[in-house]
Amino acid sequence: MLKIDILTLFPSMFDGFLTESIIKRAIDKKLVEINIVNFRDYTKDPHGKVDDTPYGGGAGMVLAPQPLFDAVESLKKDNTKVILLTPDGKPYKQEIAYSLSHYEHLILICGHYEGFDERIRTLADFELSIGDYVLTGGEIPSMIIVDSVVRLVDGVIEKSSHECDSFNNNLLDYPTYTKPRDFRGMKVPEVLLSGNHKEIEKYRLEEQIRRTRERRPDLLKEEVNDIGN
């Protein structure tokens, strides 16, 4: 079973996230355990503070190291991987989700305020970013990572459901259709009605390549670079 501890200052943000859809089913089936930890509980400050003004001046408040160090050290085991969510981390991709789904215990650190004390980086095995923009905190990025990882855990969904996902093999997903065959003049491609599975697979691969070339040509460049390396 995969265990995930999320360190946050805003636990209530996760209420709906943990009680709906695939995440809830995975928890109910005991395929994953997700704990929301308020690291304010670990502060030694008598007023419950977890942040302070930055040395050298500047705007905003900075997360102090003590509460997070104590929280991580109390939760960490020999099989734990610690992830720091930060805009300057490694760009998060599907291949990383697959990798994380095979670990036994993950700790995700959600930053907040203006940033965090630089020494907090020493706690992390990975630093991850979900995109080139800045959010108010790491809670939403942590939900994105947990959602993308949990669905890959054995038994959560059918393996075939994620093997053809977008971004596998650096290609976007192929288009899919359901009934009716003709909706307002927009018809299902004939090949999908043919029953010829070989031709259907060929069509789907061609559509993946076409769609990726049109919408995300950068992914095809990455594929070429991977082959070249």
Side-chain angles (χ1 to χ4, degrees):
M1 179 176 66
L2 172 62
K3 179 180 179 181
I4 303 175
D5 292 318
I6 303 174
L7 305 189
T8 176
L9 293 173
F10 300 94
S12 61
M13 288 184 67
F14 296 86
D15 290 348
F17 175 70
L18 297 178
T19 57
E20 300 290 342
S21 190
I22 290 175
I23 299 294
K24 181 181 186 301
R25 293 201 298 270
I27 294 171
D28 290 345
K29 292 168 67 175
K30 301 189 183 306
L31 297 172
V32 62
E33 175 186 340
I34 302 176
N35 302 305
I36 309 301
V37 180
N38 188 339
F39 61 85
R40 192 183 299 276
D41 295 339
Y42 289 84
T43 184
K44 294 178 181 177
D45 183 270
H47 305 291
K49 286 184 61 177
V50 294
D51 61 344
D52 214 325
T53 54
Y55 281 117
M61 303 291 281
V62 176
L63 287 175
Q66 179 270 313
L68 281 168
F69 267 77
D70 283 6
V72 169
E73 288 168 356
S74 71
L75 298 168
K76 189 174 182 180
K77 308 296 182 184
D78 291 339
N79 60 354
T80 302
K81 294 296 179 182
V82 181
I83 300 169
L84 181 63
L85 303 170
T86 171
D88 55 2
K90 183 176 181 180
Y92 187 61
K93 296 186 177 182
Q94 185 71 4
E95 63 189 62
I96 298 177
Y98 271 107
S99 177
L100 296 180
S101 71
H102 293 109
Y103 289 116
E104 296 180 26
H105 183 209
L106 302 175
I107 295 177
L108 277 62
I109 301 176
C110 301
H112 220 82
Y113 305 124
E114 183 62 24
F116 48 80
D117 186 294
E118 186 70 13
R119 291 164 290 191
I120 291 172
R121 293 186 189 274
T122 64
L123 291 170
D125 297 294
F126 311 110
E127 295 185 17
L128 296 177
S129 167
I130 63 164
D132 295 338
Y133 43 85
V134 179
L135 301 173
T136 55
E139 284 73 23
I140 292 175
S142 74
M143 294 180 203
I144 290 171
I145 290 173
V146 169
D147 187 278
S148 63
V149 169
V150 167
R151 65 189 299 276
L152 299 175
V153 173
D154 287 344
V156 173
I157 63 173
E158 293 290 336
K159 190 175 181 181
S160 59
S161 296
H162 63 74
E163 286 182 332
C164 296
D165 280 341
S166 292
F167 306 111
N168 283 348
N169 300 321
N170 286 338
L171 293 175
L172 298 181
D173 202 358
Y174 50 77
T176 58
Y177 300 84
T178 187
K179 298 177 180 65
R181 292 186 178 186
D182 187 332
F183 179 72
R184 297 185 179 182
M186 295 178 284
K187 298 180 180 180
V188 176
E190 287 296 324
V191 65
L192 298 178
L193 309 174
S194 67
N196 188 326
H197 296 295
K198 184 176 181 180
E199 287 300 312
I200 291 172
E201 288 179 10
K202 179 182 176 183
Y203 160 80
R204 286 176 169 170
L205 178 58
E206 289 173 348
E207 285 297 297
Q208 283 187 282
I209 295 171
R210 180 192 63 78
R211 178 173 284 189
T212 306
R213 183 178 291 115
E214 289 180 356
R215 303 185 182 193
R216 290 292 305 276
D218 56 300
L219 293 176
L220 294 177
K221 292 178 182 178
E222 289 181 13
E223 178 71 14
V224 170
N225 289 336
D226 288 344
I227 293 172
N229 292 333

